[in-house]
Amino acid sequence: MTTTATESRVADWARLHPRWEKRVAIAGLVIVVLAAIGFPLLNKYWPFRYRNVKPLLENVFASQVTIDHYHRIYFPHPGFVADGLTMRRKTAPDQPPISFAQEIKVEGNWLDVVLLRSRIRLVDVKGLHVVIPPVGSPGNHEDFPPGSSSDFAGPDTLVETLHMQDAVLDILRDQGGRYSFPIHDLALRNVHAGQAASYVVDMQNAKPGGRIQAHGSFGPITPSNLGGTPLSGDFVFSPVNLADIGDLKGTLSAQGHFEGRLADIEANATVHTPDFAIGKGRPTDVGGSVQATVNGLNGGVVLHPIELKTGKTVVHADGSIMGSPKVANIDFDVEKGRAEDLMRPFVHELPPISGVVWLKARSRVAHGGEGVTFLQRLTVDGGFSVPAERMTDYKAEQSLTAFSARAQGAGDDKGEAGNPDTAAADVVSSLTGQVKIRNGVVSTDRLTFQMPGAVADLKGTYAFHTGAVHLTGDMKMDADISHAATGFKSALMKPLAPFFKRKKAGAVVPIAVTGVTHQYKVGQDVLHTK
């Protein structure tokens, strides 16, 4: 179609529609007038001007902010992009920066701009790096002096979404180094002073290493009582590398729920470690439930009744993790558990004994520096009873059975009156005592070992790392000393029987138990030299 034809058609339409011609002209005039008046006004009252941007960011991040580069954006959403941000505490502007950010993008809505509403659609932060001085250090006190919690009340401007990607939180340590918490993704919604915000976070824990995924609500924040801030959420913490904690080994997974106030958070979780071990112990399946009260201000934890199950054994525990640095004090209680279940995570070979066990103990895990293992930090004081235990090593059990028969006055290696069935039945013995654990070594001042025909009172040590045992004491037998040996040795010892005779019957023989797992030796220690 030619230009002349087009102009002719427009002219014909205008003659037929004179009112529309006037309306189009008026609309065009109105647009021109609004543009002439509106754009200068919009420029004057533009909410994302630099003089407004800087205090806005300082309000959102509770910090004093400096910006390397800044430019406005208009479409599809009004806002700005800022690069090279440095943030210092408002209460300590002369101190080193506590955080940096590569880029921050802030977007609003055109309707909010036109209606002059104070609201931000999105604050998107990339590459945020926060550095916190060691807890309790002068630098930490200068950055966060008393009363500085008022800075964290939240922004006066509503931020619909505060989004952070690839952030890192570093907490410096007194002895050098740092705990790093990479934050892959964090989204806070409805961030506003006096209002609760919801959150979704995906991050890594520093030590022990593991992934944390959580969602819930936080706030409103009360600056005058930060510990009273409400919060709640659900979390998954997995996989957790227990090898980051000294001698512990295994991969833990946990999930649960928490709610309460920041200084008093009630948390419960289920935990499972299919390959838990201590030192050179055998990987063991351990699972259970944990309930705790957590102080979010200082990290203190009060452990309510905990139930952990391994094999056929249930361990009940409670205690606390308190102080700076943190020290764990935990009480353990086992009723009708299995001795082999409790020993399995500590020993590499088969546990030396099996049987029902009762146990009560108090443990303490002290703070450790670099190179300090878990067993070096662990101390335990307690008592146990294994009323009907058996040796797991067949040869040792058979030897013990034969000795029990002799201690009762039976023939050499046969049962009473030469009955082989008596010797064939494995002896059932009992073990009770009070023990201590220090630096991976179990020690006892009194260990009572009892079997038919004999009772031994021993004292000494057992090392978890090597399985080495060294116990000495006295054994009381129903028979005389000659029954402690067989054959020619028995004949030689008969003349010595009066020297080991008890008042009523039998003998008291000094003995020593030495060796390593599955190579234990029980011998006489008449001269107390072993």
Side-chain angles (χ1 to χ4, degrees), residues 48-349:
F48 302 113
R49 299 180 67 169
Y50 183 81
R51 67 186 184 188
N52 298 327
V53 166
K54 189 172 183 294
L56 171 66
L57 293 176
E58 291 179 339
N59 199 0
V60 170
F61 293 102
S63 301
Q64 187 178 80
V65 176
T66 57
I67 301 173
D68 289 344
H69 302 97
Y70 154 86
H71 65 272
R72 302 181 191 181
I73 55 175
Y74 297 96
F75 298 102
H77 301 284
F80 67 89
V81 175
D83 300 322
L85 278 78
T86 301
M87 288 163 262
R88 290 177 168 82
R89 295 289 299 116
K90 289 181 179 180
T91 50
D94 298 330
Q95 294 300 312
I98 63 168
S99 60
F100 305 88
Q102 296 174 3
E103 178 187 280
I104 292 183
K105 183 178 182 180
V106 176
E107 295 180 354
N109 282 307
W110 277 111
L111 183 60
D112 293 331
V113 172
V114 172
L115 298 179
L116 303 179
R117 290 192 298 211
S118 181
R119 183 160 58 186
I120 301 298
R121 174 182 172 272
L122 172 67
V123 175
D124 193 18
V125 186
K126 294 181 180 178
L128 179 68
H129 186 189
V130 181
V131 181
I132 305 297
V135 176
S137 68
N140 188 283
H141 181 76
E142 290 173 349
D143 278 348
F144 304 97
S148 62
S149 60
S150 60
D151 294 342
F152 299 93
D156 296 328
T157 300
L158 172 63
V159 178
E160 293 180 0
T161 301
L162 173 58
H163 184 215
M164 299 183 188
Q165 302 176 68
D166 301 324
V168 177
L169 169 63
D170 279 341
I171 301 178
L172 303 183
R173 303 173 60 185
D174 286 326
Q175 300 174 349
R178 62 188 62 199
Y179 291 116
S180 291
F181 299 82
I183 303 172
H184 307 304
D185 200 272
L186 170 63
L188 299 170
R189 304 193 187 281
N190 296 319
V191 182
H192 191 219
Q195 189 171 321
S198 64
Y199 66 87
V200 178
V201 63
D202 183 358
M203 62 180 291
Q204 293 292 127
N205 191 54
K207 191 174 183 180
R211 184 182 182 185
I212 300 173
Q213 296 172 290
H215 62 90
S217 65
F218 181 81
I221 300 173
T222 306
S224 59
N225 180 23
L226 196 60
T229 302
L231 78 162
S232 64
D234 297 284
F235 71 91
V236 175
F237 186 21
S238 175
V240 184
N241 184 14
L242 295 181
D244 290 341
I245 311 177
D247 286 343
L248 296 185
K249 295 179 181 178
T251 303
L252 176 143
S253 60
Q255 59 181 4
H257 175 79
F258 58 90
E259 61 181 308
R261 307 284 173 172
L262 186 58
D264 192 28
I265 308 167
E266 296 298 328
N268 61 78
T270 57
V271 297
H272 182 223
T273 306
D275 53 352
F276 177 76
I278 299 176
K280 297 180 180 179
R282 175 171 294 192
T284 304
D285 190 289
V286 178
S289 61
V290 177
Q291 296 182 7
T293 301
V294 182
N295 187 326
L297 298 178
N298 58 28
V301 178
V302 176
L303 299 170
H304 303 303
I306 299 171
E307 283 194 2
L308 298 176
K309 185 176 182 180
T310 174
K312 298 179 180 179
T313 301
V314 176
V315 180
H316 300 272
D318 57 46
S320 64
I321 305 172
M322 296 289 185
S324 180
K326 294 291 180 289
V327 174
N329 290 283
I330 303 175
D331 294 338
F332 295 94
D333 186 7
V334 175
E335 294 185 3
K336 295 184 179 180
R338 300 292 302 181
E340 62 270 30
D341 290 340
L342 296 179
M343 297 187 70
R344 191 175 292 112
F346 289 89
V347 296
H348 182 68
E349 304 292 339

Side-chain angles (χ1 to χ4, degrees), residues 332-401:
F332 295 94
D333 186 7
V334 175
E335 294 185 3
K336 295 184 179 180
R338 300 292 302 181
E340 62 270 30
D341 290 340
L342 296 179
M343 297 187 70
R344 191 175 292 112
F346 289 89
V347 296
H348 182 68
E349 304 292 339
L350 286 174
I353 63 172
S354 66
V356 178
V357 63
W358 275 259
L359 170 70
K360 283 186 178 294
R362 172 162 293 182
S363 69
R364 177 182 176 89
V365 182
H367 173 73
E370 293 295 332
V372 180
T373 66
F374 176 80
L375 285 176
Q376 289 175 321
R377 296 160 52 199
L378 173 69
T379 61
V380 177
D381 295 273
F384 69 93
S385 174
V386 187
E389 61 92 11
R390 295 180 184 273
M391 304 288 287
T392 56
D393 183 272
Y394 178 76
K395 290 184 178 180
E397 181 64 31
Q398 289 298 304
S399 175
L400 192 64
T401 299

Side-chain angles (χ1 to χ4, degrees), residues 397-428 451-454 475 477-480 482-486:
E397 181 64 31
Q398 289 298 304
S399 175
L400 192 64
T401 299
F403 177 81
S404 175
R406 295 196 303 272
Q408 296 175 74
D412 285 350
D413 284 332
K414 299 179 181 180
E416 196 171 67
N419 184 0
D421 292 336
T422 306
D426 290 344
V427 67
V428 176
M451 61 183 166
M475 180 177 62
M477 300 169 51
D478 290 347
D480 63 45
S482 65
H483 287 79
T486 61

Side-chain angles (χ1 to χ4, degrees), residues 449-464:
F449 176 73
Q450 186 171 2
M451 61 183 166
V455 177
D457 289 324
L458 305 169
K459 62 180 180 180
T461 61
Y462 171 83
F464 282 123

Side-chain angles (χ1 to χ4, degrees), residues 30-43:
V30 169
I31 291 174
V32 171
V33 171
L34 287 177
I37 298 175
F39 279 114
L41 288 175
L42 186 61
N43 184 60

